Amino acid sequence: MLRQLDNVKVRVALAAVLVVGGVLTAVALNSGSGSDSWRAACGSAPAGPAGKQASVVAEARKALLDTGNDPRLGIEIVDLAACAVETSWKADQPQPAASVVKLLIALDLIDRSGMPSDSEATAVRAMVSASDDRVASRLWQQNGGAEIVRRQAAKLGLTHTEPPADPGKWGSTRMSPTDVITVYRYITAGLSEEGREFLTEAMGSAPRTAADGFDQHFGIPRAFPGAAWAVKQGWGSSESRRVLNTTGLVRTASRTYAVAVMASWRDTIDWPTATAAVTTAVGALKGSLRAAKV
């Protein structure tokens, strides 16, 4: 399941899983789902950071450097209320997106076919919430493969996003942290209310265990206990490197942020070490958010 980045999972959310009449149902525990509570007004490019936040970036980098295995890290955090960058590190450098690209697949479907309904809505929710690769692969093939990425990059102005070299491996799409944040800014400020509610509810009501059995609650979910969040996580392997991305929306006591932390290592690293390092890095970055609270 983890051999290719098209098998990469992405996901989010505190949830309870109930089995009722043999049907698996995710029940959201994460506050902020089920309404248009993620609407923001940061539609234009955010202002640059007021401070470099060098200390928290250094601490986040140290969490990865301590693991060895040639770590690479990209970070961008934007305060959506102020529409300003809070923290940034190598944010314009493309990284393997893994299942974060499922956001582009879902947005492209909404653009081309309108809001999904009935069984298709259930399938798209599974792709976003349970990170179902089968749905992603079907929609990827059905709607033009790499053209999905090109269309969304052109529409949203994603300047550091490119489709996979192998058109069949959607998880090898490359995106920069800045471009991932642009996607979240569009979801919160540009997408229709119906579309925003659909996507953020799916991202914010996912079971801890992904469709392939991977524990998705690394990074943002684990570093922000008790906060409201709606996240797309990503993990997998690409070009002999292991990839872990934790991205999404986070609401603290006084602010709403879009967060993208994207990391990779040589494939000699084990998953528990990598996920722990990403969670530690995100925990370090919380320092910049506390500094920004009002």
Side-chain angles (χ1 to χ4, degrees):
M1 282 289 192
L2 296 173
R3 289 189 296 272
Q4 300 291 340
L5 264 184
D6 34 327
N7 287 345
V8 204
K9 303 292 162 230
V10 176
R11 299 213 350 114
V12 209
L14 291 173
V17 179
L18 304 179
V19 178
V20 181
V23 178
L24 189 66
T25 306
V27 180
L29 297 177
N30 189 23
S31 62
S33 63
S35 68
D36 196 24
S37 61
W38 291 110
R39 186 174 183 274
C42 187
S44 58
K52 295 184 178 180
Q53 300 290 355
S55 61
V56 294
V57 169
E59 192 175 346
R61 293 179 62 206
K62 183 178 184 300
L64 270 69
L65 289 169
D66 285 350
T67 66
N69 295 284
D70 185 29
R72 298 174 189 171
L73 177 65
I75 302 165
E76 182 142 296
I77 302 175
V78 168
D79 180 336
L80 293 176
C83 203
V85 176
E86 287 295 328
T87 305
S88 183
W89 171 259
K90 296 188 176 181
D92 61 350
Q93 296 188 12
Q95 310 248 27
S99 284
V100 176
V101 75
K102 290 174 183 173
L103 293 175
L104 300 186
I105 295 173
L107 289 170
D108 191 74
L109 177 69
I110 292 171
D111 283 349
R112 292 167 61 81
S113 305
M115 289 300 301
S117 59
D118 302 325
S119 61
E120 187 73 313
T122 300
V124 176
R125 283 193 195 95
M127 178 184 72
V128 174
S129 184
S131 206
D132 191 321
D133 287 343
R134 294 171 298 178
V135 177
S137 294
R138 174 175 64 81
L139 293 175
W140 180 261
Q141 295 173 3
Q142 175 180 306
N143 293 326
E147 288 304 311
I148 294 171
V149 176
R150 294 188 182 99
R151 285 192 294 264
Q152 291 302 306
K155 175 185 175 179
L156 302 180
L158 308 179
T159 56
H160 304 289
T161 293
E162 55 191 34
D166 182 337
K169 296 181 179 178
W170 45 260
S172 291
T173 298
R174 296 177 68 82
M175 300 180 72
S176 68
T178 295
D179 282 357
V180 173
I181 295 299
T182 298
V183 172
Y184 284 118
R185 290 195 297 105
Y186 172 72
I187 290 172
T188 56
L191 190 60
S192 68
E193 179 178 340
E194 185 180 16
R196 179 166 47 253
E197 289 183 354
F198 179 82
L199 290 179
T200 57
E201 183 179 10
M203 291 189 296
S205 61
R208 177 170 180 162
T209 303
D212 69 346
F214 198 86
D215 181 352
Q216 307 173 87
H217 285 187
F218 62 90
I220 294 169
R222 197 161 291 162
F224 286 90
W229 43 261
V231 187
K232 282 303 287 176
Q233 312 279 74
W235 61 91
S237 299
S238 179
E239 298 177 357
S240 299
R241 295 187 67 80
R242 288 198 169 174
V243 176
L244 277 175
N245 299 326
T246 182
T247 80
L249 305 169
V250 178
R251 183 178 298 114
T252 66
S254 61
R255 282 285 192 267
T256 298
Y257 297 93
V259 178
V261 178
M262 307 178 75
S264 72
W265 296 258
R266 288 195 301 263
D267 61 7
T268 47
I269 196 169
D270 61 85
W271 287 113
T273 299
T275 55
V278 168
T279 299
T280 299
V282 175
L285 295 169
K286 285 172 66 177
S288 66
L289 307 194
R290 286 193 296 270
K293 283 177 64 176
V294 295

